[in-house]
Amino acid sequence: MAGDTPPLLQGPTSKEKKYDRQLRLWAASGQAALEEAHVLLVNSGPGAVGVETLKNLILPGIGAFTILDSALVEEADLGVNFFLDEASLGKFRAAECCKYLQELNPDVEGNAISEPIETFITQDQPLKPFSHIVVVAPIAFDVLEKLRKDAEVAGKPVFYIHCVGFYSQFVLQLPEYFPVVDTHPDAEKMIDLRLVSPFQELQDLATWKTTDLDQLNDHDHGHVPYVLILLRYLSVWKSEHGGKTPQSYKEKTEFREQVRSGMRTNNAEGGEENFEEAVAAVLKSLNPPEPSSAVKEVFKSIDSGKHQSREHSNFWVIAQAIKHFYESHGLLPLPGTVPDMKAQSKDYIELQGVYKAKARKDVAEVMSYIGSQDASRIEEKEVEAFCKNAAFIKLVRGQSIRLVEPSQTPTFGPRARFASNALSNPDSLILLYLAFLAYDDFTASHALDNQLTTSQPPGVADFEVDSKKLAGIVGKFIDSLLNEAGKFIEDPEYSEIKESASSIAEEMCRAGGAELHNIASVTGGMVAQEAIKVITKQYIPVNNWKAFKFFDVEQVKLPATEDPNLLQQGNTTAVAAGSDNVFFGSADGVVRILSHDFKVVRSFKAHETGSINHMKQIEGTYFLVTIAEDLSNEPTLKVWALDKLDKKTGVPRCQSTITIKNGRKQFPITAFAALDDLSQLAVGFGNGAVTVVRGDLIHDRGTKQRTVFESEEPITGIAFREDSTTTLYIATTAKISTLVISGRGLGQPPRSLEESGCGVGCMTISEETSDVVIARDDAIYYYGPRGRGPVYAYECPKILISTLKDYVVLVSPPSSNAASRAASGRAFGNDRSDSSFSNSNLTILNTDLKLIAFQESLPSQVKSVFQEWGDLFILTVDGKLLRYHEKTFQQKLELLFQRNLYVYAINLAQKARLDPIQQNVIYRRYGDYLYQRGDFDTAMQQYLKAIDNTEPSQVIRKFLDTQRMHNLIDYLEELHEHHRATSDHTTLLLNCYAKLKDVEKLEEFIKAPGDPKFDLETAISMCRQGGYFDQAAYLARKHDEHGLVIDILIEDSKKYAEALAYIWRLGPHEAYPIMMKYATVLLEHCPKDTTQLFIDYYKGNFQPKKDAIVIPNTVTPPSQGIASSAVQNLASLLPLPYMNPSTVQSPGTEGQKTTMSQAQVIETKTNDPPIEYEIPEPRTAFSAFVDHPDQFVVFLEACIGSDDIAEDDKRDLYTTLFEMYLHVATSKKGEEKEQWETKAKELLSTQNVPIDASNVLLLSHLENFRDGTVLVREKQGLKFDIFRSYTSANDTAGAIKALRKYGPEEPHLYPAALAYFTSNPTVLEDAGDELDAVLRKIDEDQLMAPLQVIQTLSVNGVATMGLVKKYLSATVEQERKEIDQNRKIIENYRTETDKTRTSLTELNQDAATFQATRCQACGAPLELPTVHFLCKHSFHQRCLNVSEDEQGATALEDVECPVCAPQNATVKAIRRAQDDSAERHELFLDALRRSKDGFGTISEWFGRGVMGAASAVES
């Protein structure tokens, strides 16, 4: 069981914990290198900078250090050296510093040597124990020289440091070949996915995972690793393109779209992240793998065997194995790194495993190439790290420290010209560099206290004397530099340079050799940083010129049909290009014309004798100029018309032939130039002569030749420049001259442009600017019409220069020949014979951007450089033709992005005039990079530049931290400037202002001129939330948001008078809604003025007030009213509407000055006509005066006095005013109450007062104003209501008075009085005899039934029988009489009823006898036919209007007795009415309700059949 238990996980060791952060920088290998290092500090002077350097090496854990210092600790040391204390005084400084430094890190071994340096270096191999040397000035020259040489021989790096006062510098000396394996490229650069040439395991995995890609469900389809997606689509591409991968940018773009087309977009996300990753990786992942120029340089160093002069370090052994691996596979070992990507965990792990397995396999193969002897000491981990970084290894070329022997002047060699030019640059540090050289010279020649071994810094003995001496030494060095460069600087510039040098010397002397601790600390940190780079052999020092690979190179292969020896040396002596062809001239005088595919399309014998050494094709024409040289004869020049061929021979026509004269002196032609129209040609010779040929060479109409220039130095270059004049630039080995050969200035002698020349081939013309470009060993010089232009320092020997577009093409010899070539001085040209078997270096520079676009070593020397078809061609002496094709712009950008060189990318884009949108993409990426590095300020600068097409949220979320709020403010402000800000952005910006309490910037933002660049509502809202009320009001006023202005003044600022003043200055339409909204609060704080505002507005008298600025000449007394001060305050806060723009100047005394700071704003009176507006109904203002009755009364009284008031409005006004009178009276007492009630009475007494009576009654009742009730009820005849008002108030006297007054007219008051008088004993007592009078009146007029009277009196139990005995007796007697009478009537009704029934019976049972003899109608005797009615009336049938044709009784059924018909109709109508009313019960109920005798009413309606059963059934 124990064997199955997994081992316990081990946590980090104590050392790993201790060095955790730095291990992340240089890993365990770097830490191991640190722990193996032993640094020697040769300390002198104050020594603080040296100790500070050690401090920064000890903290990260250097292995050991030794301090070599023989000085004793003095008090001056305690003030500058933190690793000494008072106990150290008088002791050896080395031992004391060592003791305290070791306390920083006990793991570091410390040693101290107190032996003088002069004796130390005399030992045998004194530097052997040490790996790195740090030397601090001042130190004797011979000591430093021996240290430097010993270190150089031993291959040990040396750091030489100066630190004097405020100045410091350090110099690094490295071995000649210093390799760096881990250059720490960006993680993205180290990713090699091998998509172009996938290894088998990767291809198998891609095939397995993507065979059914289209059939996968959405989840699986969206999680396929993008590497496998690209491999799948690459397989499809290769099958359609002959097995080739996308090569050009166009093809890659097309391929990218194919990949994009496979993305599913019909999902919730609208796309797939893995496909987006694949699309983004196309351009950067499909480049064919190729070693960098740095790697190739390492490989070439291995081939040359130069590294073998050194001890076989592990680097060279592994590099040899890597080279073997590359030669076997054409690829470097796989790093094995896989980037993060959208994938399922198992798929990603599986893919990662495939890459790591391949990387381990490559490491094993590299290990197999290492010999057994070396393999025993080289660990696999070291090889693995080398393989991982193989694409980024770097071979740094070391240089020695430049030292100047005492009393001598420094020499700069090829750098003299560059250094001398730097003198004129105020930003250059060349003077400080010379000052430090002079400082060393001074200390070397001045001993301290006559001690020959101890140096004395300047300023110690005598400040003034030493400063003059030091300034003199610096001046001597300046003059020496100018002399070496052959340069003369005139005054005042020369004097200014000397003065600047003297200032530096004076500052150094002022320090007196002392160090400032802060300067020493900073310098020590910088030195330690570079020392760690050197010790760990990681990272690369900064170089002024960045090297890239902007060109692809390929060797041009001649077609199989062409002579393979065509390009060999001797067969091609001159090359020209133009008009879509390349022209090769040979030693036998033959010209060969080659096409685009380098096939010879034509060849002809141009010259019978001599070798063609110069040719020029006139671009855009068919003319070719050839020059053949035969030193036995003068050179021959011919012009050929290539479009005019001889019909027989096919040879182009020779337009003209001339012999170039050189005074019969046989010197070779060294330079040649021609104008494009061939009107003038210039030929330079080795003897220093220049011959100009003028004439018509095209039509052979004759030419003239003249020697225009002669010099003792050979001609090395000639160039024409055409402007308003035609100028010939002439270069010799000693100078550059110009000569006007046509135009203004013709005939003047040559003008010396520069007292420094160039070698043959080192002069050309810039295609971009037409400037002359000169290549010298120290720099590249441009010359224009006004003389020398910009200079670009690039130090290396140069033998050839050309231009391609905006690039400068340089050809340099190998560095081994540099010294001899630099020493050749003024020798003719740059003789190539000494290096005919050496390599050449090709460099393509972009001088404007200061970058190396391409650089490589060529296998042999360069014969010719030419360009055509947009490409650069290099013809070498061994017959190879190399073609250099510039990468696409996007490819160049990707290269820069991979190295995080965004500044170069930006400059490149700007120079190419890239679309602003594309430039912004670069700015944004640069900003992202800087943000990740923590450089937030610079990152924000880039984001601001890219603001137009960057999603703001991407930037904003990065700067939400409080510490970066100032960056966020910058971005948000710029968003508003570009009108891209939303309300959220405005909110955020104002919040930032508020958080920082930056009122100045807030006001600057909101008061910016022009249209607002922000959401106004949001800005105002945020200002208010932040408490910036004045700013919010300003914004609202500026943009005519008057309602917001008032809201802010009232709700936030509590400036009520200012708000009212502002409203009064608005137009009527703007003012109305605002004053209605804020009326209540304004009435509360400014009642008088607010009431007046309402009065004016509702009476139609509203006129916006206007103001003027007055600058008083005397002190203005305090304002007498709220309005004046409010206007003044308001004007100082924000611009008032209707402000009179003209300033009113009050008269003042003569000579008295006034300023706008004294200005006051006053209200002005104008004669403008009143503004017409629709006057609102008064009732709309009523709600505003709630809780302000006094002001409301004033308003109502003012409105009533207006003439133009509608009737409805009058009614509202009068009613409301009456109510307010009563309301105010209620709150008053005594006389005041009577006054208000009197006002109310007077208002009601007004004629035609439009107050509804019900309203008056209601209001009077509510306010207990009885007089009002009485008055209105009298007017409207509401006597009963008057009486009731008295009774409700228990005013018995008033009730009696009202009863007597209104009783005769209103009898129903008596029953009410009866009920009131008997309501309680008090009222009964107050009523007295009035109760009897009431009963009597009720009885007389039968106003109440006795029973009702009894019921009324019995309600409260107040009335006694004695009070009503008399009434009851009379009433009972009356009732008896009525009963007797009723009985008699009943008896009569019964008798009549019996008689009627008897008659009906007789009519139904007995025969009737008709005895009438005459007709009741006509009075004539009756004649048949006769009609007899039971009513005993008889009629002729004819008198009844019955037709004789009608027969039988049927015809007479409807005939009625004319005599009885009216009576019968009345009875029928009564009966019919009874029947109808029987159905309408509401009539019965209404009659019953109004009846005085209820029983009588019921009896009456009973008789009508209302309650009859028959009627109910019939209905």
Side-chain angles (χ1 to χ4, degrees), residues 46 91 106 127 223 260 392 585 590 651 683 704 980 1107 1293 1463:
K91 300 179 182 179
L127 302 182
H223 286 77
R260 195 193 306 274
F392 305 98
V590 175
V651 175
V683 179
K704 293 182 179 180
R980 298 194 67 228
D1107 305 281
Q1463 183 179 356

Side-chain angles (χ1 to χ4, degrees), residues 91 157 273 353 372 393 455 557 674 759 787 795 804 844 946 965 967 1036 1094 1187 1238:
K91 300 179 182 179
E273 189 176 345
S372 58
I393 57 176
S455 300
K557 302 294 184 182
E795 186 175 358
L804 173 69
I844 303 177
M965 190 172 293
N967 299 126
F1094 271 83
D1187 299 330
T1238 302

Side-chain angles (χ1 to χ4, degrees), residues 438-501:
Y439 186 90
D440 285 345
D441 183 83
F442 184 99
T443 55
S445 58
H446 290 72
L448 183 62
D449 296 334
N450 297 320
Q451 301 176 26
L452 298 178
T453 58
T454 305
S455 300
Q456 174 183 293
V460 173
D462 189 317
F463 167 72
E464 293 186 0
V465 173
D466 289 354
S467 61
K468 290 181 180 179
K469 286 184 180 179
L470 186 61
I473 298 173
V474 178
K476 181 178 67 173
F477 287 178
I478 293 173
D479 293 338
S480 173
L481 173 60
L482 292 174
N483 290 333
E484 184 181 1
K487 182 175 182 177
F488 178 75
I489 300 178
E490 297 181 354
D491 276 332
E493 183 180 1
Y494 178 77
S495 297
E496 291 174 354
I497 294 173
K498 286 294 187 75
E499 184 177 352
S500 298

